[in-house]
Amino acid sequence: MSDFTEQAIMEAFVELLEEKPFNKITVKDIVGRCGINRNTFYYHYQDIYDLLEKVIRYYLEASNIKNLSRENWKETTDTIVQFVVSHKHAMVHVFDFIGAKELCHYFREVSWQAIEHYMEPVFTTLNAPEEDREFFLRLMSNSVVGTIMEWAEHDFNKAFADRVIERLAYWLTGSLNMIDYWRN
């Protein structure tokens, strides 16, 4: 029951984010939307900020971003893009409320972990020193964060995301093929 209830609360919250800014959403709005009482909401979440954090984490985990690999990166990024594009207003409201500094920190952390998982076989093959690994991960995660911020400036336009992913595919494939060539 609690999984169903948490899902209902998260879905109601995302629906409300599509309709109005984060700071205009109340617990009363959420419980009214999903037909539960306030006590049930507070049983699952400390407050609306806790709910927001858990919603973001839930959808990122559902995208399988932490297990990013050569085999699944396209599917994973497509899942994220589809979610963001289909919840564009919610994303704008979240970005407007939280602010760039907090979001940059969060996205940098998530992208660092994803890129590290993706690149681990390459790092191992190249016997890359820790200092080089950290430099590369910082460079790439900051690139991801910058691209997300630029996408936000384009109102999470799907065509913009598709162009970025197309270029990313080109460069990732070429770079990894070059590494495979050097390895053999």
Side-chain angles (χ1 to χ4, degrees), residues 32-109:
R33 178 70 57 106
C34 61
I36 61 168
N37 63 46
R38 292 176 68 83
N39 288 339
T40 303
F41 176 88
Y42 287 111
Y43 175 78
H44 295 284
Y45 304 99
Q46 293 175 355
D47 52 29
I48 292 180
Y49 303 95
D50 181 42
L51 172 59
L52 176 60
E53 180 181 329
K54 288 180 178 164
V55 164
I56 292 169
R57 289 193 187 281
Y58 172 81
Y59 284 108
L60 280 172
E61 286 175 13
S63 74
N64 200 28
I65 190 76
K66 289 186 179 180
N67 295 313
L68 196 66
S69 69
R70 284 175 91 165
E71 293 76 28
N72 73 1
W73 79 268
K74 181 76 168 87
E75 177 185 337
T76 300
T77 54
D78 285 347
T79 299
I80 293 169
V81 167
Q82 185 57 44
F83 175 82
V84 170
V85 168
S86 65
H87 297 90
K88 185 185 301 194
H89 297 292
M91 294 302 297
V92 168
H93 289 144
V94 168
F95 266 66
D96 288 346
F97 178 76
I98 293 178
K101 185 176 180 181
E102 277 298 310
L103 285 169
C104 285
H105 174 75
Y106 182 75
F107 289 136
R108 188 174 295 110
E109 177 187 320

Coordinates of all heavy atoms in Angstrom, one line a residue, residues 32-109:
G32 N -5.5 16.7 -1.7 CA -6.7 16.8 -2.4 C -6.7 16.2 -3.8 O -7.6 15.5 -4.2
R33 N -5.6 16.3 -4.5 CA -5.4 15.8 -5.8 C -5.4 14.2 -5.8 O -5.9 13.6 -6.7 CB -4.1 16.3 -6.4 CG -3.8 15.8 -7.8 CD -4.7 16.3 -9.0 NE -4.7 17.7 -9.1 CZ -4.2 18.4 -10.1 NH1 -3.5 17.8 -11.0 NH2 -4.4 19.7 -10.1
C34 N -4.7 13.7 -4.8 CA -4.6 12.2 -4.8 C -5.6 11.5 -3.8 O -5.5 10.3 -3.7 CB -3.2 11.7 -4.6 SG -2.4 12.2 -3.1
G35 N -6.4 12.3 -3.1 CA -7.4 11.7 -2.3 C -6.9 11.0 -1.0 O -7.5 10.0 -0.6
I36 N -6.0 11.6 -0.4 CA -5.5 11.1 0.9 C -5.6 12.2 1.9 O -5.9 13.3 1.6 CB -4.0 10.6 0.8 CG1 -3.1 11.8 0.4 CG2 -3.9 9.4 -0.2 CD1 -1.6 11.5 0.6
N37 N -5.3 11.9 3.2 CA -5.3 12.9 4.2 C -3.9 13.4 4.5 O -2.9 12.8 4.1 CB -6.0 12.5 5.5 CG -5.3 11.3 6.2 OD1 -4.1 11.3 6.3 ND2 -6.1 10.3 6.6
R38 N -3.8 14.5 5.2 CA -2.5 15.2 5.5 C -1.6 14.2 6.3 O -0.4 14.2 6.1 CB -2.7 16.5 6.3 CG -3.3 17.6 5.5 CD -3.6 18.8 6.4 NE -2.4 19.5 6.8 CZ -1.7 20.3 6.0 NH1 -2.1 20.6 4.8 NH2 -0.6 20.9 6.5
N39 N -2.1 13.5 7.2 CA -1.3 12.5 8.0 C -0.6 11.5 7.1 O 0.5 11.1 7.4 CB -2.2 11.8 9.1 CG -2.6 12.7 10.2 OD1 -2.0 13.8 10.4 ND2 -3.6 12.4 10.9
T40 N -1.3 11.1 6.1 CA -0.7 10.1 5.2 C 0.4 10.7 4.4 O 1.5 10.1 4.3 CB -1.8 9.6 4.2 OG1 -2.8 9.0 4.9 CG2 -1.2 8.5 3.2
F41 N 0.2 12.0 4.0 CA 1.3 12.7 3.3 C 2.5 12.8 4.3 O 3.7 12.4 3.9 CB 0.9 14.1 2.9 CG 2.0 14.9 2.3 CD1 2.3 14.8 1.0 CD2 2.9 15.7 3.1 CE1 3.3 15.6 0.4 CE2 3.9 16.4 2.6 CZ 4.2 16.3 1.2
Y42 N 2.3 13.2 5.5 CA 3.5 13.4 6.4 C 4.0 12.1 6.9 O 5.2 12.0 7.4 CB 3.0 14.3 7.6 CG 2.9 15.7 7.1 CD1 1.7 16.4 7.1 CD2 4.1 16.4 6.8 CE1 1.6 17.7 6.7 CE2 4.0 17.8 6.3 CZ 2.7 18.4 6.3 OH 2.6 19.7 5.9
Y43 N 3.3 11.0 6.8 CA 3.9 9.7 7.1 C 5.0 9.3 6.1 O 6.0 8.7 6.4 CB 2.8 8.6 7.0 CG 3.3 7.2 7.2 CD1 3.6 6.7 8.5 CD2 3.5 6.4 6.1 CE1 4.1 5.5 8.7 CE2 3.9 5.1 6.3 CZ 4.2 4.6 7.6 OH 4.7 3.3 7.7
H44 N 4.8 9.8 4.8 CA 5.8 9.4 3.8 C 6.8 10.5 3.5 O 7.9 10.2 3.1 CB 5.0 9.2 2.5 CG 4.1 8.0 2.5 ND1 4.6 6.7 2.4 CD2 2.8 7.9 2.7 CE1 3.6 5.8 2.5 NE2 2.5 6.5 2.7
Y45 N 6.5 11.8 3.8 CA 7.4 12.9 3.5 C 7.4 13.9 4.6 O 6.3 14.2 5.2 CB 6.9 13.6 2.2 CG 6.8 12.7 1.0 CD1 5.6 12.1 0.6 CD2 8.0 12.2 0.3 CE1 5.5 11.2 -0.4 CE2 7.9 11.3 -0.7 CZ 6.7 10.8 -1.1 OH 6.6 10.0 -2.1
Q46 N 8.6 14.5 4.9 CA 8.7 15.5 5.9 C 7.9 16.8 5.6 O 7.3 17.4 6.4 CB 10.1 15.8 6.2 CG 10.9 14.7 6.8 CD 12.4 15.0 6.9 OE1 12.8 16.1 6.5 NE2 13.1 14.1 7.5
D47 N 8.1 17.1 4.3 CA 7.4 18.4 3.8 C 7.5 18.3 2.2 O 7.9 17.3 1.7 CB 8.1 19.6 4.3 CG 9.6 19.6 4.1 OD1 10.1 19.0 3.2 OD2 10.3 20.2 5.0
I48 N 7.1 19.4 1.6 CA 7.1 19.4 0.2 C 8.5 19.4 -0.4 O 8.7 18.8 -1.5 CB 6.3 20.7 -0.3 CG1 4.8 20.5 0.0 CG2 6.5 20.9 -1.8 CD1 4.0 21.7 -0.4
Y49 N 9.5 20.0 0.3 CA 10.9 20.0 -0.1 C 11.4 18.5 -0.2 O 12.1 18.2 -1.1 CB 11.7 20.9 0.7 CG 11.2 22.3 0.8 CD1 10.4 22.7 1.8 CD2 11.6 23.2 -0.2 CE1 9.9 24.0 1.8 CE2 11.1 24.5 -0.2 CZ 10.2 24.9 0.8 OH 9.8 26.2 0.8
D50 N 11.1 17.8 0.9 CA 11.4 16.4 0.9 C 10.8 15.6 -0.3 O 11.5 14.8 -0.9 CB 11.0 15.8 2.3 CG 11.4 14.3 2.4 OD1 12.5 13.9 2.0 OD2 10.5 13.5 2.9
L51 N 9.6 15.9 -0.5 CA 8.9 15.3 -1.7 C 9.6 15.6 -3.0 O 9.8 14.7 -3.8 CB 7.4 15.7 -1.7 CG 6.6 15.3 -2.9 CD1 6.6 13.8 -3.1 CD2 5.2 15.9 -2.8
L52 N 9.9 16.9 -3.2 CA 10.6 17.3 -4.4 C 11.9 16.5 -4.6 O 12.2 16.0 -5.7 CB 10.9 18.8 -4.4 CG 11.7 19.4 -5.6 CD1 10.9 19.1 -6.9 CD2 11.9 20.8 -5.4
E53 N 12.7 16.5 -3.5 CA 14.0 15.7 -3.6 C 13.7 14.3 -4.0 O 14.4 13.7 -4.8 CB 14.7 15.8 -2.3 CG 16.1 15.1 -2.4 CD 16.8 15.2 -1.0 OE1 16.7 16.2 -0.3 OE2 17.5 14.2 -0.8
K54 N 12.7 13.7 -3.4 CA 12.5 12.2 -3.6 C 11.9 12.0 -5.0 O 12.2 11.0 -5.6 CB 11.6 11.7 -2.5 CG 12.4 11.5 -1.2 CD 11.5 10.9 -0.1 CE 12.4 10.8 1.1 NZ 11.7 10.6 2.3
V55 N 11.1 13.0 -5.5 CA 10.6 12.8 -6.9 C 11.8 12.9 -7.9 O 11.8 12.1 -8.8 CB 9.6 14.0 -7.2 CG1 9.3 14.1 -8.7 CG2 8.3 13.7 -6.4
I56 N 12.7 13.8 -7.7 CA 13.8 14.0 -8.6 C 14.6 12.7 -8.6 O 15.0 12.1 -9.6 CB 14.7 15.2 -8.2 CG1 13.9 16.5 -8.5 CG2 16.0 15.2 -9.0 CD1 14.5 17.7 -8.0
R57 N 14.9 12.2 -7.4 CA 15.7 11.0 -7.2 C 15.0 9.8 -7.8 O 15.6 8.9 -8.5 CB 16.1 10.7 -5.8 CG 17.1 11.7 -5.2 CD 17.7 11.2 -3.9 NE 18.5 12.2 -3.3 CZ 19.7 12.5 -3.7 NH1 20.3 11.8 -4.7 NH2 20.5 13.5 -3.2
Y58 N 13.7 9.7 -7.6 CA 12.9 8.6 -8.1 C 13.0 8.5 -9.7 O 13.3 7.4 -10.2 CB 11.4 8.7 -7.7 CG 10.5 7.7 -8.3 CD1 10.5 6.4 -7.8 CD2 9.8 8.0 -9.4 CE1 9.7 5.4 -8.5 CE2 9.0 7.1 -10.0 CZ 8.9 5.8 -9.6 OH 8.1 4.8 -10.2
Y59 N 12.8 9.6 -10.3 CA 12.7 9.6 -11.8 C 14.1 9.4 -12.4 O 14.3 8.8 -13.4 CB 12.0 10.9 -12.3 CG 10.5 10.7 -12.2 CD1 9.8 11.5 -11.2 CD2 9.8 9.8 -12.9 CE1 8.5 11.4 -11.1 CE2 8.4 9.7 -12.8 CZ 7.8 10.4 -11.9 OH 6.4 10.3 -11.7
L60 N 15.1 9.9 -11.7 CA 16.5 9.7 -12.2 C 16.9 8.2 -12.0 O 17.5 7.6 -12.9 CB 17.5 10.6 -11.5 CG 17.6 12.0 -12.0 CD1 18.5 12.9 -11.1 CD2 18.1 12.0 -13.5
E61 N 16.5 7.6 -10.9 CA 16.8 6.2 -10.7 C 16.0 5.4 -11.7 O 16.5 4.4 -12.2 CB 16.5 5.8 -9.3 CG 17.6 6.3 -8.3 CD 17.2 6.0 -6.8 OE1 16.3 5.2 -6.6 OE2 17.9 6.6 -6.0
A62 N 14.8 5.8 -12.0 CA 14.0 5.0 -12.9 C 14.6 5.0 -14.3 O 14.4 4.1 -15.1 CB 12.5 5.6 -12.9
S63 N 15.4 6.1 -14.6 CA 16.0 6.2 -15.9 C 17.2 5.3 -16.0 O 17.8 5.1 -17.1 CB 16.4 7.6 -16.2 OG 17.6 7.9 -15.4
N64 N 17.6 4.7 -14.9 CA 18.8 3.8 -14.9 C 20.1 4.6 -15.1 O 21.1 4.0 -15.6 CB 18.7 2.7 -15.9 CG 19.5 1.5 -15.5 OD1 19.9 1.3 -14.4 ND2 19.9 0.7 -16.5
I65 N 20.2 5.9 -14.8 CA 21.3 6.7 -15.1 C 22.6 6.2 -14.4 O 23.7 6.3 -14.9 CB 21.0 8.2 -14.7 CG1 22.1 9.1 -15.3 CG2 20.8 8.4 -13.3 CD1 22.1 9.4 -16.7
K66 N 22.4 5.7 -13.2 CA 23.6 5.2 -12.4 C 24.3 4.0 -13.1 O 25.4 3.7 -12.7 CB 23.2 5.0 -11.0 CG 22.9 6.2 -10.2 CD 22.7 6.0 -8.8 CE 22.4 7.3 -8.1 NZ 22.2 7.2 -6.7
N67 N 23.6 3.3 -13.9 CA 24.2 2.1 -14.6 C 24.5 2.4 -16.1 O 24.4 1.5 -16.9 CB 23.2 0.9 -14.5 CG 23.0 0.5 -13.0 OD1 24.0 0.4 -12.3 ND2 21.8 0.4 -12.6
L68 N 24.8 3.6 -16.4 CA 25.1 4.1 -17.7 C 26.2 3.2 -18.3 O 27.2 3.0 -17.6 CB 25.4 5.5 -17.7 CG 25.4 6.2 -19.1 CD1 24.0 6.3 -19.6 CD2 26.0 7.7 -18.9
S69 N 26.0 2.8 -19.5 CA 27.1 1.9 -20.2 C 27.0 2.2 -21.7 O 26.1 2.9 -22.2 CB 26.8 0.5 -19.9 OG 25.7 0.0 -20.6
R70 N 28.0 1.6 -22.4 CA 28.0 1.8 -23.8 C 26.8 1.2 -24.5 O 26.3 1.6 -25.5 CB 29.3 1.1 -24.4 CG 30.6 1.8 -24.2 CD 31.8 1.1 -24.6 NE 32.1 1.4 -26.0 CZ 33.2 1.0 -26.6 NH1 34.2 0.4 -25.9 NH2 33.5 1.3 -27.8
E71 N 26.3 0.2 -23.8 CA 25.1 -0.5 -24.4 C 23.8 0.2 -24.2 O 22.9 0.1 -25.0 CB 25.0 -1.9 -23.8 CG 26.1 -2.9 -24.2 CD 27.4 -2.6 -23.4 OE1 27.4 -2.1 -22.3 OE2 28.5 -2.9 -24.0
N72 N 23.7 1.0 -23.1 CA 22.4 1.5 -22.7 C 22.3 3.1 -22.7 O 21.3 3.6 -22.4 CB 21.9 1.0 -21.4 CG 22.6 1.6 -20.2 OD1 23.5 2.4 -20.3 ND2 22.2 1.1 -19.0
W73 N 23.4 3.7 -23.0 CA 23.4 5.2 -22.8 C 22.3 5.9 -23.7 O 21.7 6.8 -23.2 CB 24.8 5.8 -23.1 CG 25.1 5.9 -24.6 CD1 25.7 5.1 -25.4 CD2 24.8 7.1 -25.4 NE1 25.8 5.6 -26.7 CE2 25.3 6.8 -26.7 CE3 24.2 8.3 -25.1 CZ2 25.1 7.7 -27.7 CZ3 24.0 9.2 -26.2 CH2 24.5 8.9 -27.5
K74 N 22.1 5.4 -24.9 CA 21.1 6.1 -25.8 C 19.7 5.9 -25.2 O 18.9 6.9 -25.1 CB 21.2 5.5 -27.2 CG 20.3 6.1 -28.2 CD 20.7 7.5 -28.6 CE 20.0 8.0 -29.8 NZ 18.7 8.7 -29.5
E75 N 19.4 4.7 -24.8 CA 18.1 4.4 -24.2 C 17.9 5.3 -22.9 O 16.8 5.8 -22.7 CB 17.9 3.0 -23.9 CG 16.6 2.6 -23.2 CD 16.6 1.1 -22.9 OE1 17.4 0.3 -23.5 OE2 15.9 0.8 -21.9
T76 N 18.9 5.3 -22.1 CA 18.9 6.1 -20.9 C 18.6 7.5 -21.1 O 17.8 8.2 -20.5 CB 20.2 5.8 -20.0 OG1 20.3 4.4 -19.8 CG2 20.1 6.6 -18.7
T77 N 19.4 8.1 -22.0 CA 19.2 9.6 -22.3 C 17.9 9.8 -22.9 O 17.3 10.8 -22.6 CB 20.4 10.1 -23.1 OG1 20.5 9.3 -24.3 CG2 21.7 10.1 -22.4
D78 N 17.4 8.9 -23.8 CA 16.1 9.1 -24.4 C 15.0 9.1 -23.3 O 14.1 9.9 -23.4 CB 15.9 8.0 -25.4 CG 16.6 8.2 -26.7 OD1 17.2 9.3 -26.9 OD2 16.7 7.3 -27.5
T79 N 15.1 8.2 -22.4 CA 14.2 8.1 -21.3 C 14.1 9.4 -20.5 O 13.0 10.0 -20.2 CB 14.5 7.0 -20.3 OG1 14.5 5.7 -21.0 CG2 13.5 6.9 -19.1
I80 N 15.3 10.0 -20.2 CA 15.4 11.3 -19.4 C 14.8 12.4 -20.3 O 13.9 13.2 -19.8 CB 16.8 11.6 -19.0 CG1 17.3 10.5 -18.0 CG2 16.9 13.0 -18.5 CD1 18.7 10.6 -17.7
V81 N 15.2 12.5 -21.5 CA 14.7 13.5 -22.4 C 13.2 13.4 -22.5 O 12.4 14.4 -22.5 CB 15.3 13.5 -23.8 CG1 14.6 14.4 -24.8 CG2 16.8 13.9 -23.7
Q82 N 12.6 12.2 -22.7 CA 11.2 12.1 -22.9 C 10.4 12.5 -21.6 O 9.4 13.2 -21.7 CB 10.8 10.6 -23.2 CG 9.4 10.4 -23.5 CD 8.9 11.2 -24.6 OE1 9.5 11.4 -25.7 NE2 7.7 11.8 -24.4
F83 N 11.0 12.2 -20.5 CA 10.3 12.6 -19.2 C 10.3 14.1 -19.1 O 9.3 14.7 -18.8 CB 11.0 12.0 -18.0 CG 10.4 12.5 -16.7 CD1 9.3 12.0 -16.2 CD2 11.0 13.6 -16.0 CE1 8.7 12.5 -15.0 CE2 10.5 14.1 -14.9 CZ 9.3 13.5 -14.4
V84 N 11.5 14.7 -19.3 CA 11.6 16.2 -19.2 C 10.7 16.9 -20.2 O 10.0 17.8 -19.8 CB 13.1 16.6 -19.4 CG1 13.2 18.1 -19.5 CG2 13.9 16.1 -18.2
V85 N 10.7 16.4 -21.4 CA 9.9 17.1 -22.5 C 8.4 17.0 -22.2 O 7.6 17.9 -22.3 CB 10.2 16.6 -23.9 CG1 9.2 17.0 -24.9 CG2 11.7 17.0 -24.3
S86 N 8.0 15.8 -21.7 CA 6.6 15.6 -21.4 C 6.2 16.3 -20.1 O 5.0 16.4 -19.8 CB 6.2 14.1 -21.3 OG 6.9 13.5 -20.3
H87 N 7.1 16.7 -19.3 CA 6.9 17.5 -18.0 C 7.6 18.8 -18.0 O 8.1 19.3 -17.0 CB 7.3 16.6 -16.8 CG 6.5 15.4 -16.7 ND1 6.9 14.2 -17.3 CD2 5.3 15.1 -16.1 CE1 6.1 13.3 -17.0 NE2 5.1 13.8 -16.3
K88 N 7.6 19.5 -19.2 CA 8.3 20.7 -19.4 C 8.0 21.8 -18.4 O 8.8 22.4 -17.8 CB 8.1 21.2 -20.8 CG 8.9 22.4 -21.2 CD 8.5 22.9 -22.6 CE 8.7 21.8 -23.7 NZ 8.6 22.3 -25.0
H89 N 6.7 22.0 -18.2 CA 6.3 23.0 -17.3 C 6.7 22.7 -15.8 O 7.2 23.7 -15.1 CB 4.8 23.2 -17.3 CG 4.3 23.7 -18.7 ND1 4.6 24.9 -19.2 CD2 3.6 23.1 -19.6 CE1 4.0 25.1 -20.4 NE2 3.4 23.9 -20.7
A90 N 6.6 21.5 -15.5 CA 7.1 21.1 -14.1 C 8.6 21.4 -14.0 O 9.1 21.9 -13.0 CB 6.8 19.6 -13.9
M91 N 9.4 21.0 -15.0 CA 10.8 21.3 -15.0 C 11.1 22.8 -14.9 O 12.0 23.1 -14.1 CB 11.5 20.7 -16.2 CG 11.4 19.1 -16.3 SD 12.1 18.3 -14.8 CE 13.8 18.8 -15.0
V92 N 10.4 23.6 -15.6 CA 10.7 25.0 -15.6 C 10.3 25.5 -14.1 O 11.1 26.3 -13.6 CB 9.8 25.8 -16.6 CG1 9.8 27.3 -16.4 CG2 10.3 25.4 -18.0
H93 N 9.2 25.0 -13.6 CA 8.9 25.5 -12.2 C 9.9 25.0 -11.2 O 10.3 25.8 -10.3 CB 7.5 24.9 -11.8 CG 6.4 25.6 -12.6 ND1 5.3 25.0 -13.0 CD2 6.3 26.9 -13.0 CE1 4.5 25.8 -13.6 NE2 5.1 27.0 -13.6
V94 N 10.5 23.8 -11.3 CA 11.5 23.3 -10.4 C 12.8 24.2 -10.6 O 13.4 24.6 -9.6 CB 11.8 21.8 -10.7 CG1 13.1 21.4 -9.9 CG2 10.6 21.0 -10.2
F95 N 13.2 24.4 -11.8 CA 14.4 25.2 -12.1 C 14.2 26.6 -11.5 O 15.1 27.2 -10.9 CB 14.7 25.3 -13.6 CG 15.6 24.2 -14.0 CD1 15.3 22.9 -14.0 CD2 16.9 24.6 -14.5 CE1 16.2 21.9 -14.4 CE2 17.8 23.6 -14.9 CZ 17.5 22.3 -14.9
D96 N 13.0 27.2 -11.7 CA 12.8 28.6 -11.2 C 12.8 28.6 -9.7 O 13.3 29.6 -9.1 CB 11.4 29.1 -11.7 CG 11.4 29.4 -13.2 OD1 12.5 29.5 -13.8 OD2 10.3 29.6 -13.7
F97 N 12.4 27.6 -9.1 CA 12.3 27.6 -7.6 C 13.6 27.3 -7.0 O 14.1 28.0 -6.1 CB 11.2 26.7 -7.1 CG 11.2 26.7 -5.6 CD1 10.6 27.7 -4.9 CD2 11.8 25.6 -4.9 CE1 10.7 27.7 -3.5 CE2 11.8 25.6 -3.5 CZ 11.2 26.7 -2.8
I98 N 14.2 26.2 -7.4 CA 15.5 25.7 -6.7 C 16.6 26.6 -7.0 O 17.5 26.9 -6.1 CB 15.8 24.3 -7.1 CG1 14.7 23.4 -6.6 CG2 17.1 23.8 -6.6 CD1 14.9 21.9 -7.0
G99 N 16.8 27.0 -8.2 CA 17.9 27.9 -8.5 C 19.1 27.1 -9.1 O 19.3 25.9 -8.9
A100 N 19.8 27.8 -9.9 CA 20.9 27.1 -10.7 C 22.0 26.5 -9.8 O 22.5 25.4 -10.1 CB 21.5 28.1 -11.7
K101 N 22.4 27.2 -8.8 CA 23.5 26.7 -7.9 C 23.2 25.3 -7.3 O 24.0 24.4 -7.4 CB 23.8 27.7 -6.8 CG 25.0 27.3 -6.0 CD 25.3 28.4 -5.0 CE 26.6 27.9 -4.2 NZ 26.9 28.9 -3.2
E102 N 22.0 25.2 -6.7 CA 21.6 23.9 -6.1 C 21.5 22.8 -7.2 O 21.9 21.7 -7.0 CB 20.3 24.0 -5.4 CG 20.4 24.5 -4.0 CD 21.3 23.6 -3.1 OE1 21.0 22.4 -3.1 OE2 22.2 24.2 -2.5
L103 N 20.8 23.2 -8.3 CA 20.6 22.2 -9.4 C 22.0 21.8 -10.0 O 22.2 20.6 -10.3 CB 19.7 22.7 -10.4 CG 18.2 22.7 -10.0 CD1 17.4 23.5 -11.0 CD2 17.7 21.3 -9.9
C104 N 22.8 22.7 -10.2 CA 24.2 22.4 -10.7 C 24.9 21.4 -9.8 O 25.4 20.4 -10.3 CB 25.0 23.6 -10.9 SG 24.6 24.7 -12.3
H105 N 24.8 21.6 -8.6 CA 25.5 20.7 -7.6 C 24.9 19.3 -7.7 O 25.6 18.3 -7.8 CB 25.4 21.2 -6.2 CG 25.9 20.3 -5.1 ND1 27.2 20.1 -4.9 CD2 25.2 19.5 -4.3 CE1 27.4 19.2 -4.0 NE2 26.2 18.8 -3.6
Y106 N 23.6 19.2 -7.7 CA 22.9 17.9 -7.8 C 23.2 17.2 -9.1 O 23.5 16.1 -9.1 CB 21.4 18.1 -7.6 CG 20.6 16.8 -7.6 CD1 20.7 16.0 -6.5 CD2 19.9 16.4 -8.7 CE1 20.1 14.8 -6.5 CE2 19.3 15.2 -8.7 CZ 19.3 14.4 -7.7 OH 18.7 13.2 -7.7
F107 N 23.0 17.9 -10.2 CA 23.3 17.3 -11.5 C 24.7 16.9 -11.7 O 25.0 15.9 -12.4 CB 22.8 18.2 -12.7 CG 21.3 18.4 -12.8 CD1 20.8 19.6 -13.0 CD2 20.5 17.3 -12.7 CE1 19.4 19.8 -13.1 CE2 19.1 17.4 -12.8 CZ 18.6 18.7 -13.0
R108 N 25.6 17.7 -11.1 CA 27.1 17.4 -11.2 C 27.3 16.0 -10.5 O 28.0 15.2 -11.0 CB 27.9 18.5 -10.6 CG 29.4 18.3 -10.9 CD 30.2 19.5 -10.4 NE 30.0 20.7 -11.2 CZ 29.3 21.7 -10.7 NH1 28.9 21.8 -9.4 NH2 29.1 22.8 -11.5
E109 N 26.7 15.9 -9.3 CA 26.9 14.6 -8.6 C 26.3 13.4 -9.3 O 27.0 12.4 -9.4 CB 26.2 14.8 -7.2 CG 26.2 13.6 -6.3 CD 25.3 13.8 -5.1 OE1 25.3 14.9 -4.5 OE2 24.6 12.8 -4.7

